[in-house]
Every structure is written in structure tokens, then in C-alpha cells.
Amino acid sequence: MPNRFALVALAPAIILTACGGEPAAPAKPPVHSEAIAHETELVRLKLTPEAQKRLGIVTERIGTGTASAMRMTSGEIVVPAGVGGAPINSASNLQQLAAQQVAADGELARARAQLALARVAYDRASALVDEEAGSIRARDEATAALGAAKAAADAAAAQRRLLGPAVASIGNQRYVWVRVPVFGSDLAGLQQGQSALVSPLGQDSAKRSARPVDAPPSANAMAGTVDLYFALDNRDRAYRVGQRVSVALPLAGRRSEGLSVPTSAILRDIYGGEWVYAKTEADTYVRQRIEVAATEGGRAILSRGLRPGTLVVTAGAAELFGTEFGVAH
């Protein structure tokens, strides 16, 4: 009995010794949250009057406005179709098309040569009949041959037009088309017959108006889309065939209302974020995030980001952006 009581008394000591004699530390949490400063407090610029003049800073107090609601999508620059033909796009086999154009040019030249020969034969037969030295039958046969030659020449010319402009001149088109695939279920919500706004990807400030055109119907049954076409002025060669572009399509019966700022005031970072510089106090500018709901006539309607009456930088915003990140001085 004494030995048994001794073992019971020693048991807690053995357990404490095995555990190191101290209670276990609490487990480390898997996530550590730490508050940081708001993004607007990280970008406050104070400029001297001389620096503001050197950067060409111009501000405007913003108010409210309205603009047509737009749906953003993408499109492709294509070569306008010939009369009744199909546009030339990035999926076209240019080598095969060039061979077809050469063959069509040769056929057109042959048909025109035959037309010229038939016209000479007709003139000769008519002259002989007028001088009572030829038969009326010969003149009638020449007339029929002339009509057949003219029909063949017209058909050859029409076939050549279907193939579009020469492949060698594709890059020199004064006007190009923009092919915009749209889901069939979305067509009813678009304001069809109205111009679209086209810009290079990532360069929304360089938008151009493109008017709708009647084009041969085309669609993609697998994707469930139909193609809309718009004509775009490209006399400055700013766009190339096959280039992907951003397209803003007007929505039917919908207008966005909100704060209105000039599009020249809007900056976009590499992640697509939209910003403006607001003048918060004398000689002090703060970069503030915004969201654009619609653009029209050189102005943008904001869905959030600013308050009415805020002074925003409309000229010199890019210079402020460079100054903030040490690019410009």
C-alpha cells in the first residue's frame, strides 16, 4: 500500500516534467490584419505657383450632365467589302485572294478586248448596210455579238468588284470598316443606326466616331453572335487591318446622368484604373479614383468618385501623374 501511494504522488510530477514544466503557447493565427492608410492619402502633391505654371495646370469645377448609355465591346478592323462581296479580315487567305484577283483581272481584260472587237464589227456591218453594200442579217448578227460581249464584260467587272480592292493596296484604304460581333440576344437593346465610338485598346481618350454601314450579313453560329459593321475614317493610317479595337455601342432609350468631367481630365493606369486630380486646397492636388459610366461629346459621366463642385485638373493631368511618380520634374 505505501508503494502504491508513492506512485500516485509521483505521477503529476512525471507529467509536468514530460511537458516541459510550462503550459503550451497559443497557436499562431493564420491571418494577420493590419490597417493601412487610404489610397487617397498616399498621393498628395503640393506645387509652387511657378511649378503649376510650368506644367500648364488648368482646373474646372465639375457639375452634372447626361450622356447616352454605352455598351463596351471589341471589334476588328477589316477592309470594306466590294459591291455584294465580303470584307477582308484577319481570317482571309490573302494569298488565295490575290490569286483570285489576278484571274479576275485577266478575265475582265479579255472581256473588254472582245467587247471592243465586237463594237468594231458592228460599226463595219452598220456602215455597209448604210452604203447598201452589206446585208441586214450580217448587221443583226453583229448587233447580237456586241450585246453578248457587253454582257460578258459587265459580268467580269462585277465578279472583280466582289473580290474587293487589290491585296497590295489593303494598307492604303482611306476608310476602313470595323466588324463588331454582338450576341443576338443583345441586338434589341442597342440603338441601331447610330454611330459607334472606336478607339485602340487601352487608349479610350483617342475615340473616333464610326458610322453604321450596310454590309453583307454575317454571323457566327457557334458563338451565337451577329456582325455589325461601321465605317471609320483612316486617312491618317492610324489603324491597320486585323487590329483589335475597343468599341462603344449606344444603348436604346437609356441615358446616364451624373457628374460630368472633360475626358482630358481622366487618367488610366496600367491596371485600367481611372483617376483624376482634384484640387483640394491652394496649390494642393490629390489623385482620386473614379468610375466612368458613359462618354459623349468629349465629356465623361461618372458613376462614382467625386462630389459636385470639385475642382479637377483638365489640362496638365498627365504632367501631374509623371511628377507624382518621379517621371517628370
Side-chain angles (χ1 to χ4, degrees), residues 111-183:
R112 286 175 174 172
Q114 289 181 340
L115 175 61
L117 183 60
R119 184 172 286 111
V120 170
Y122 168 77
D123 292 341
R124 183 182 297 113
S126 296
L128 290 175
V129 170
D130 293 341
E131 296 175 2
E132 300 182 352
S135 67
I136 296 178
R137 178 178 179 178
R139 186 184 63 182
D140 292 343
E141 291 177 348
T143 301
L146 177 61
K150 186 177 185 306
D154 291 343
Q159 290 175 350
R160 178 59 188 86
R161 286 195 298 269
L162 289 176
L163 297 174
V167 171
S169 66
I170 283 180
N172 299 322
Q173 300 298 310
R174 297 182 61 188
Y175 289 87
V176 294
W177 282 6
V178 184
R179 182 179 66 86
V180 184
V182 177
F183 288 107

Side-chain angles (χ1 to χ4, degrees), residues 193-219:
Q194 297 296 319
S195 297
L197 297 177
V198 179
S199 61
L201 293 178
Q203 301 180 28
D204 290 345
S205 59
K207 289 181 178 179
R208 297 186 183 184
S209 178
R211 59 179 176 82
V213 294
D214 292 328
S218 61

Side-chain angles (χ1 to χ4, degrees), residues 53-289:
K53 184 177 180 180
R54 185 173 66 252
L55 295 177
I57 303 299
V58 177
T59 60
E60 177 182 318
R61 195 174 300 277
I62 65 172
T64 59
T66 62
S68 299
M70 311 293 283
R71 171 165 294 171
M72 299 304 301
T73 183
S74 62
E76 178 189 3
I77 300 298
V78 300
V79 175
V83 179
I88 301 173
N89 54 34
S90 59
S92 302
N93 188 329
L94 296 184
Q95 184 176 4
Q96 180 181 6
L97 179 62
Q100 293 173 346
Q101 289 179 349
V102 170
D105 288 337
E107 179 61 24
L108 179 59
R110 186 185 67 82
R112 286 175 174 172
Q114 289 181 340
L115 175 61
L117 183 60
R119 184 172 286 111
V120 170
Y122 168 77
D123 292 341
R124 183 182 297 113
S126 296
L128 290 175
V129 170
D130 293 341
E131 296 175 2
E132 300 182 352
S135 67
I136 296 178
R137 178 178 179 178
R139 186 184 63 182
D140 292 343
E141 291 177 348
T143 301
L146 177 61
K150 186 177 185 306
D154 291 343
Q159 290 175 350
R160 178 59 188 86
R161 286 195 298 269
L162 289 176
L163 297 174
V167 171
S169 66
I170 283 180
N172 299 322
Q173 300 298 310
R174 297 182 61 188
Y175 289 87
V176 294
W177 282 6
V178 184
R179 182 179 66 86
V180 184
V182 177
F183 288 107
S185 58
D186 294 339
L187 279 177
L190 298 178
Q191 193 172 353
Q192 299 189 43
Q194 297 296 319
S195 297
L197 297 177
V198 179
S199 61
L201 293 178
Q203 301 180 28
D204 290 345
S205 59
K207 289 181 178 179
R208 297 186 183 184
S209 178
R211 59 179 176 82
V213 294
D214 292 328
S218 61
N220 187 329
M222 297 296 294
T225 59
V226 296
D227 295 331
L228 302 179
Y229 289 90
F230 299 86
L232 181 66
D233 189 340
N234 194 41
R235 282 175 287 187
D236 59 353
R237 307 294 187 268
Y239 295 91
R240 302 179 65 86
V241 177
Q243 179 179 349
R244 302 294 297 183
V245 293
S246 175
V247 182
L249 301 175
L251 296 177
R254 292 177 56 185
R255 294 186 68 83
S256 296
E257 183 175 356
L259 296 179
S260 173
V261 300
T263 54
S264 60
I266 300 174
L267 297 168
R268 290 175 174 83
D269 58 28
I270 60 175
Y271 304 106
E274 297 169 323
W275 305 83
V276 296
Y277 277 97
K279 187 174 184 180
T280 57
E281 53 186 87
D283 304 328
T284 302
Y285 301 90
V286 175
R287 182 163 53 95
Q288 296 188 2
R289 186 182 294 275

